[in-house]
Each structure stands twice: as C-alpha cells, then as structure tokens.
Amino acid sequence: MGLKYKRILLKLSGEALQGNKNYGIDPEFLRRLAQEIKEVVNLGAQVAIVIGGGNIFRGVSGATQGMDRATADYMGMLATVINALALQDALEKEGLHTRVLTAIEMKEIAEPYIRRRAIRHLEKGRVVIFGAGTGNPFFTTDTAAALRAAEINADVLLKATKVDGIYTADPVKDKNAKKLDKVSYKEVITNGIKVMDSAAVSLCMENRIPIVVFDVRKEGNLAKVVKGEMVGSLVEGETL
C-alpha cells in the first residue's frame, strides 16, 4: 500500500513520553515510539517532529503559580529540548539518522532552526526534531507544530494523543461523548472543540494542512495514518 502522506509533522505532547509514569520520561514507551517512527521512515515517509515539555515543566502552570509568564514559557521551551534529545537518542538506537533543531540557539547540543536546512535534512531521509517551540513566549507547542508544518510544506499534521480521536466531550468524564470521525477547521474553532489551540488550527486552515488526531499508544497506528487508513479523527475543510 502506498503512502497518503509523504512528509509528515508529528506533534507529540510531553505527557505522551511519560508513558505510565507520573513525571519525566518512560524509557520503554520511548523505545516503542522510536520503533513506530522507524517503521514509517522505512515506508518512505519524511518525518519531522515537534515535541512538548509538559512532562517536565509547563509554562502556563508555572504562570498560574505566580511566576512571570514569559520566564515560565522559556523554562517550558528548555523542557522540550530535554525531550527532543531523549527522543533523538532513542531514534538513533534504532539506526535512524536524526537531527535536533532548536528555535533557541544552543549550538553545543543542537543545530539552530533554519528552514532550508530542516527541509534538506528531510530530503536526505533524516528525522528532524524541532525543539524549543517557536522560540517565543505566549505560544504553545501546538502553534509551533502548525508553524513548522507550514514552513516545511508538510502534507499533514499528526496530533498524537492518549485518546483515539476527537470527541464531543471528554470521553473519560462523559459516557455520552461521541467520536467525530471528520470535522472542519471552522467547526473546531467556532465550537471550541479541544483539538489544538485556535492559533494552531487557524494556521493549518490558512495553509490547507489537514490534522489527524490519533492514539499514539496503540501499536501500528502511526503507520496506518501515514498510509491513509481511517484511524482517529480528521480535521480539514468543510465537512460533507
């Protein structure tokens, strides 16, 4: 089966790296995730990744506890770099060539983000991990994912979560919540559906980048999405 999406931007939350832990990084989950990414690379997909830092430090949380918001957000950006390096290590243990590019320059451990360099790495078959969000406070890593997806001309933005798609309400709290297989950008923004923040969704809408929300914990899901199989929920133009 061929690939529906040749160049993907995978958005991973920091919490996803926790696995079953309450904090930090679960090495076993990281190893399995690296194997899933290797599978799609072997299929011929070009893979770029934006990673969050909520498993280590969340800027918004720090700000609500009295910390200056900009300072808290910069700390959160540094947390994403820690996660990026951990993921890079796991990917390289699987034999993948990997580059970490950061929006905040830290040349001893990663390359600075340069759009053309990132695209060149992808063309050479390297997995590119974008760290430090957009490099600016007050912007989420969801927005960073949408921005990078647009910059590298990604075919799709894959939002990796702990649930199997988009629901009308939190399926854990509401038994009557219904799964939405397909929804439009405008419906997500207008109805306040919790997929990504509105700035990220708007960026994807303006650049016609579809968003697929799927459960990253289920083995084989990432490859299925890249092949175009119906997994999770799809956000694109107007619903039919």
Side-chain angles (χ1 to χ4, degrees):
M1 185 176 182
L3 299 181
K4 180 176 182 180
Y5 305 114
K6 173 69 175 175
R7 179 176 292 173
I8 68 171
L9 190 295
L10 177 64
K11 169 58 171 65
L12 288 168
S13 67
E15 287 87 344
L17 300 190
Q18 288 177 198
N20 296 318
K21 295 179 179 289
N22 295 320
Y23 177 84
I25 299 168
D26 180 352
E28 178 56 30
F29 175 80
L30 202 61
R31 183 187 64 79
R32 189 182 66 74
L33 177 63
Q35 292 174 343
E36 297 264 322
I37 293 170
K38 180 179 181 179
E39 182 180 357
V40 300
V41 170
N42 288 342
L43 288 172
Q46 297 177 1
V47 181
I49 302 166
V50 168
I51 195 163
N55 57 319
I56 298 171
F57 186 86
R58 183 177 291 280
V60 173
S61 177
T64 59
Q65 296 177 33
M67 185 177 290
D68 176 76
R69 173 64 191 272
T71 299
D73 279 354
Y74 280 121
M75 292 172 67
M77 290 178 220
L78 296 180
T80 71
V81 178
I82 292 173
N83 284 338
L85 294 176
L87 181 56
Q88 180 184 41
D89 181 75
L91 290 169
E92 290 185 342
K93 281 184 169 62
E94 294 298 324
L96 295 174
H97 296 289
T98 312
R99 296 289 187 274
V100 174
L101 277 63
T102 57
I104 298 173
E105 189 169 342
M106 41 190 84
K107 59 185 179 181
E108 286 79 9
I109 59 173
E111 297 178 12
Y113 172 71
I114 298 171
R115 174 179 172 270
R116 289 180 180 272
R117 178 180 290 177
I119 292 172
R120 186 63 178 145
H121 285 322
L122 291 170
E123 290 172 344
K124 288 188 174 182
R126 297 164 183 156
V127 177
V128 176
I129 307 170
F130 297 117
T134 66
N136 300 288
F138 305 102
F139 290 92
T140 67
T141 49
D142 277 352
T143 301
L147 176 63
R148 297 293 182 245
E151 287 182 303
I152 66 170
N153 303 313
D155 298 321
V156 67
L157 193 161
L158 305 182
K159 168 84 170 178
T161 68
K162 294 183 177 181
V163 293
D164 62 344
I166 301 169
Y167 284 79
T168 53
D170 188 336
V172 177
K173 299 177 181 177
D174 187 349
K175 293 181 180 179
N176 296 317
K178 294 182 179 180
K179 184 183 175 187
L180 303 171
D181 291 330
K182 187 177 179 182
V183 62
S184 72
Y185 302 112
K186 289 183 179 179
E187 286 174 321
V188 170
I189 296 169
T190 303
N191 299 329
I193 299 173
K194 294 182 179 180
V195 178
M196 305 175 83
D197 63 71
S198 58
V201 177
S202 295
L203 260 173
C204 288
M205 179 171 65
E206 290 168 12
N207 293 281
R208 298 181 180 179
I209 302 169
I211 304 168
V212 177
V213 180
F214 73 104
D215 184 357
V216 71
R217 298 174 303 172
K218 188 172 181 180
E219 189 174 346
N221 263 2
L222 182 58
K224 288 178 181 177
V225 172
V226 173
K227 291 176 183 176
E229 295 183 34
M230 190 57 215
V231 174
S233 299
L234 173 65
V235 182
E236 55 178 8
E238 295 300 321
T239 51
L240 298 175

